[in-house]
Amino acid sequence: MAHAVPTRGTSTGARTGAGTGASGASGHTPPDVFGARTHLLAKWAMPLAIGLVYGYWAASIRRHGGPITGWNLLFGFMTVLAFAILWYLVRAVADRLPREGHAVLWGAFAGSALGFLYSGSGVAMFTCVLVSLLLAAAVAAGLYYHYATHQDAEEARTARTRNPVRTGTT
């Protein structure tokens, strides 16, 4: 008499989907821990929080260790505003682009953001441009790799669920 061998972590032998990736062979996706409201809040709060850090950084570079003035605070808050608006704009445009354009746009945003901060420190413009281009290229290459591998895997997974492979002959 044949018995099912329990898989690791279960006593009944039921499949847990541990080795099948994010969405198993049955098409089951893991539950979303956070609700839609939390995701929406994070979508709008994250650029603002990162922008606050960026604005503080830009203001501290601009004052060169001197006292904090009203103009310095204004510059910092205007930098926060510009950074957050550009982030929202890039995110809105990038979602409509193919993966190559998406990666290049985020790379250009990251390189420009670094270039703005680096140029405020008083370095040579050639050095600033070179470092910004290197960061932009690295971000674009990394994001392209990420999007290409995840989208290709998702497309293959979808194709497998639509056209299952038949193992037996009839």
Side-chain angles (χ1 to χ4, degrees):
M1 182 170 195
H3 295 284
V5 178
T7 59
R8 195 177 297 188
T10 65
S11 61
T12 61
R15 291 197 164 268
T16 60
T20 58
S23 111
S26 65
H28 173 74
T29 57
D32 191 5
V33 177
F34 301 111
R37 184 176 180 201
T38 306
H39 283 287
L40 182 64
L41 179 67
K43 179 181 177 180
W44 289 100
M46 188 175 69
L48 188 60
I50 294 172
L52 284 170
V53 172
Y54 185 82
Y56 171 75
W57 193 359
S60 68
I61 289 172
R62 185 172 175 141
R63 67 184 171 94
H64 299 289
I68 298 174
T69 63
W71 289 112
N72 189 251
L73 287 174
L74 179 66
F75 176 76
F77 283 117
M78 288 295 115
T79 305
V80 171
L81 185 64
F83 184 87
I85 288 172
L86 285 173
W87 181 302
Y88 296 134
L89 186 71
V90 167
R91 185 176 59 200
V93 171
D95 287 343
R96 295 180 177 93
L97 295 175
R99 61 182 165 210
E100 297 86 5
H102 195 130
V104 168
L105 187 59
W106 278 109
F109 177 73
S112 299
L114 176 69
F116 177 73
L117 287 179
Y118 201 42
S119 69
S121 65
V123 298
M125 191 53 63
F126 177 75
T127 307
C128 177
V129 169
L130 181 66
V131 169
S132 297
L133 287 175
L134 287 173
L135 178 72
V139 168
L143 286 176
Y144 176 76
Y145 175 77
H146 173 76
Y147 296 139
T149 55
H150 283 72
Q151 286 177 350
D152 289 345
E154 186 176 309
E155 290 167 1
R157 199 175 305 117
T158 304
R160 267 199 315 266
T161 57
R162 286 185 188 159
N163 302 321
V165 178
R166 298 177 189 245
T167 56
T169 58
T170 55

